[in-house]
Structures are given as structure tokens and as C-alpha cells.
Amino acid sequence: MGPTMPLCTSSGLFFVCLTVLLVLPVQGQYEHTTSETPRLSGVHPNCCVTASKRYINETINSCYEQKEHTFPDCKIHAYIFITKTRQYCVHPKAKWLPEKLRELEEQGIYCQVL
């Protein structure tokens, strides 16, 4: 009969394997859900306390309209554009905004009023 493994080594290996089997599926789900976040379904963006009229060159994945006093600490009217990397607060009187909203609607992206 060959050499035997001590119990702690075989049970240690068992727990390592068990941990790997339990953690790997969770990591896959996390990566899947984070890749789906641009639409932010059921999740509201952070409120805007300031807004810019600068044009946004990034691809916009979702849009929200924050009305004045929608939230207690958010006292301005702004459009919130969510891109893959960040959130932009756009002033409602930005000259380029009406055309951008039309483009988004053509892509099936409509601004949800908060």
C-alpha cells in the first residue's frame, strides 16, 4: 500500500475545491449584470446639483430628466445622460440637446422623468 495523505491536506484540498466551485458562478453573474447596467432598469442615477451645456461625445446608453425639486437636495432641472463610463448632467437649454434627444429616440432611448 502506498503512502497516505494526512487528513488535513485532503480536507484542505476539498475546501479549496468547494470554495472555487461556489465562487466561480457568482463571478460570472456579477460580470453579466454589470455589463447590462447601462439601461439602469429600476435604478435611479445620482441627482444633479449642477449642469453643463458642453456637448457629449460618448455613446449615451440611457437618459433621465430631473425636474426641479424632484429630490430634496436636487433643485435644478437637468437631463442626465448615462454612458458606459459616467453620468453627465446636461443643462436643459443646451443648444445641441433637442437634436440629441431626437437621435436617442430614433435609437429607442427615451428620457425617463424622475
Side-chain angles (χ1 to χ4, degrees), residues 51-56 89-97:
S52 172
K53 292 182 179 180
R54 282 187 314 200
Y55 185 78
I56 298 170
C89 297
V90 178
H91 194 286
K93 293 189 179 183
K95 290 182 180 182
W96 56 269
L97 183 61

Side-chain angles (χ1 to χ4, degrees), residues 8-19:
C8 69
T9 305
S10 62
S11 62
L13 182 59
F14 171 76
F15 286 114
V16 169
C17 291
L18 181 63
T19 303

Side-chain angles (χ1 to χ4, degrees), residues 10-83:
S10 62
S11 62
L13 182 59
F14 171 76
F15 286 114
V16 169
C17 291
L18 181 63
T19 303
V20 168
L21 290 173
L22 292 174
V23 171
L24 284 178
V26 173
Q27 286 181 340
Q29 288 176 352
Y30 176 75
E31 289 177 9
H32 177 69
T33 57
T34 56
S35 69
E36 297 296 323
T37 56
R39 293 270 178 203
L40 293 177
S41 69
V43 177
H44 293 291
N46 295 327
C47 80
C48 295
V49 292
T50 61
S52 172
K53 292 182 179 180
R54 282 187 314 200
Y55 185 78
I56 298 170
N57 288 320
E58 290 184 60
T59 300
I60 297 167
N61 296 314
S62 59
C63 175
Y64 297 87
E65 182 180 5
Q66 172 184 297
K67 299 284 190 171
E68 284 184 55
H69 304 290
T70 298
F71 306 104
D73 296 328
C74 308
K75 300 178 181 356
I76 67 167
H77 181 205
Y79 284 85
I80 303 171
F81 291 151
I82 307 294
T83 68

